[in-house]
Amino acid sequence: MDQIVRTITIGIIATAVMDLWGYSRQPLFGFPRADYRLVGRWFAYMPRGRFHHTSIAASPPLVGEHIVGWVVHYLIGTTFAALLVRVGGVHWLRHPTLGPALVVGIATVAAPLLLMQPGMGAGIAAARTKRPSAARLQAFLTHTVFGLGLYVAAWITQLFVPFAR
């Protein structure tokens, strides 16, 4: 149980670190913030059997899509944290190191590039956007920050939440 709670906490903190980066990157670099309302729309259409959109922004909005987007965003972050814990094990939870966290964080960039962007109409690796290279760079930087967030979150939980005996 301790490992589950710790993993969920790491996922939430790491996702929040990624969100803080998302808010700061607009004034610093001019990159737009992620619109989780559109992620929510994409996911909310899935139970209706629609997994691909020509343009998710052009698809009719659905009630609650904003909340769905944020919830899904944090669930995905927590799932990726669970992947890291699965790979690194309890030893990594007790003695977090940057390498595995960064590897998992950077590897998670595959999800938006190969699943979400194509499903939402942006093409594989944002190929159908106005500036594919900029979108790819944003995704890479954001997921690198997520990896750093996994590491920081693991240290925070390791320092401030004692392990069950």
Side-chain angles (χ1 to χ4, degrees):
M1 187 62 153
D2 180 54
Q3 188 173 339
I4 293 170
V5 170
R6 201 170 289 275
T7 300
I8 291 169
T9 303
I10 290 169
I12 290 170
I13 292 171
T15 305
V17 166
M18 186 172 81
D19 289 337
L20 289 173
W21 162 255
Y23 284 112
S24 67
R25 73 181 185 188
Q26 185 174 23
L28 291 174
F29 304 108
F31 290 153
R33 286 189 236 160
D35 189 350
Y36 295 113
R37 175 183 54 89
L38 296 177
V39 173
R41 185 177 301 170
W42 184 52
F43 271 89
Y45 268 104
M46 288 180 185
R48 295 168 170 83
R50 190 161 178 203
F51 297 89
H52 180 268
H53 299 258
T54 304
S55 167
I56 193 66
S59 294
L62 298 172
V63 174
E65 65 186 24
H66 196 103
I67 291 170
V68 170
W70 279 97
V71 168
V72 164
H73 171 58
Y74 275 81
L75 287 173
I76 291 169
T78 301
T79 301
F80 287 149
L83 173 67
L84 172 58
V85 171
R86 179 76 174 141
V87 170
V90 175
H91 177 75
W92 186 84
L93 281 175
R94 289 183 184 269
H95 308 285
T97 55
L98 181 59
L102 267 181
V103 167
V104 168
I106 292 169
T108 64
V109 78
L113 295 178
L114 301 176
L115 295 173
M116 294 177 75
Q117 290 171 353
M120 295 170 75
I124 293 175
R128 292 188 186 143
T129 63
K130 290 178 186 175
R131 297 176 50 216
S133 295
R136 293 170 191 144
L137 177 61
Q138 285 180 55
F140 175 78
L141 291 175
T142 298
H143 285 260
T144 300
V145 168
F146 176 69
L148 291 171
L150 289 167
Y151 175 67
V152 168
W155 267 107
I156 289 170
T157 59
Q158 188 259 352
L159 289 174
F160 295 106
V161 182
F163 280 89
R165 304 262 170 189

